[in-house]
């Protein structure tokens, strides 16, 4: 009798990679859930109003102002999330609020996508895919990466409080923590610049505004 082949993934490189970056994987799933919820439940009146308000603001800072203003708008929006993750990550509150901020970031992306589609149809989808999404993914990569460090710090703070021992917090590499945030801000700036360049490159092909 011919034996059926069984694929064992327990020690595969992929499974090992997922295990080593489990927090990042979970945050990516949380972001995706935020996108899906905001698009699937878009018919909700409050979400719809929020979405079109966000679209109006998006177009205002993409069409009616210059390149520098567009860049600052994109960068500040991403910076707000990074700043919130940083602040809450220095306390126990980070265990709850860091995933929440990732979820909200996903909802923002989903709301913008839905509003672009309803307002401009396939052109709106094309604008999102060609000009908005690439830069957003770069900024998202930076956000999720530092979020993993922030929630790790929150967990260490929690262990320190529970065990009444300061050994855990003293072993935390503060220098590395701040360096990663500095790198994240640089990546976010590059992602925002990339997004604005692509938008100005492709917007002439679509009737927006």
């Amino acid at each position: 009798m011919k034996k059926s082949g069984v694929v064992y993934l327990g020690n595969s490189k992929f499974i090992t990679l997922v295990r080593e970056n489990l927090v990042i994987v979970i945050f990516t799933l949380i972001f995706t859930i935020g996108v899906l919820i905001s698009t699937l439940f878009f018919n909700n009146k409050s979400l719809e109003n929020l979405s079109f308000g966000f679209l109006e603001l998006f177009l205002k800072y993409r069409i009616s102002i210059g390149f520098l203003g567009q860049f600052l708008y994109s960068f500040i929006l991403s910076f707000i999330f990074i700043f919130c993750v940083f602040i809450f990550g220095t306390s126990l509150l980070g265990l709850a609020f860091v995933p929440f901020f990732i979820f909200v970031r996903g909802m923002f992306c989903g709301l913008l996508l839905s509003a672009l589609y309803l307002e401009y149809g396939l052109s709106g989808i094309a604008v999102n895919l060609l000009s908005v999404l690439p830069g957003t993914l770069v900024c998202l990569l930076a956000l999720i990466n530092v979020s993993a460090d922030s929630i790790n710090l929150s967990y260490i703070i929690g262990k320190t409080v529970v065990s009444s021992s300061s050994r855990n917090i003293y072993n935390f590499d503060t220098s590395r923590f701040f360096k990663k945030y500095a790198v994240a801000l640089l990546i976010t700036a590059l992602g925002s610049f990339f997004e604005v360049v692509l938008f100005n490159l492709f917007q002439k092909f679509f009737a927006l505004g």
Side-chain angles (χ1 to χ4, degrees), residues 20-41:
E20 291 175 351
N21 299 277
L22 184 59
V23 175
I24 293 177
V25 172
I26 291 173
F27 281 161
T28 303
L29 289 175
I30 291 174
F31 173 83
T32 305
I33 290 171
V35 173
L36 291 175
I37 287 179
S38 60
T39 52
L40 293 176
F41 294 94

Side-chain angles (χ1 to χ4, degrees), residues 58-68 70 116 120 122-132 194-209:
F58 171 81
L59 293 176
K60 176 182 176 182
Y61 286 98
R62 280 293 189 273
I63 296 176
S64 60
I65 60 176
F67 186 91
L68 180 60
Q70 295 176 31
L116 280 170
Y120 301 104
L122 293 179
S123 293
I125 297 294
V127 167
N128 188 74
L129 292 177
L130 294 175
S131 64
V132 179
F194 186 46
E195 179 185 327
V196 173
V197 168
L198 287 177
F199 185 84
N200 283 277
L201 182 64
F202 288 109
Q203 71 147 336
K204 59 185 178 182
F205 299 107
F206 306 101
L208 298 180

Side-chain angles (χ1 to χ4, degrees), residues 3 28 48 123 130 132 164 179 186:
K3 295 182 178 180
T28 303
E48 186 176 343
S123 293
L130 294 175
V132 179
S164 300
K179 284 179 181 178
L186 177 60

Side-chain angles (χ1 to χ4, degrees), residues 45-61:
K45 193 64 179 178
S46 58
L47 280 182
E48 186 176 343
N49 292 335
L50 177 63
S51 182
F52 281 107
F54 190 48
L55 175 61
E56 183 179 353
L57 188 65
F58 171 81
L59 293 176
K60 176 182 176 182
Y61 286 98

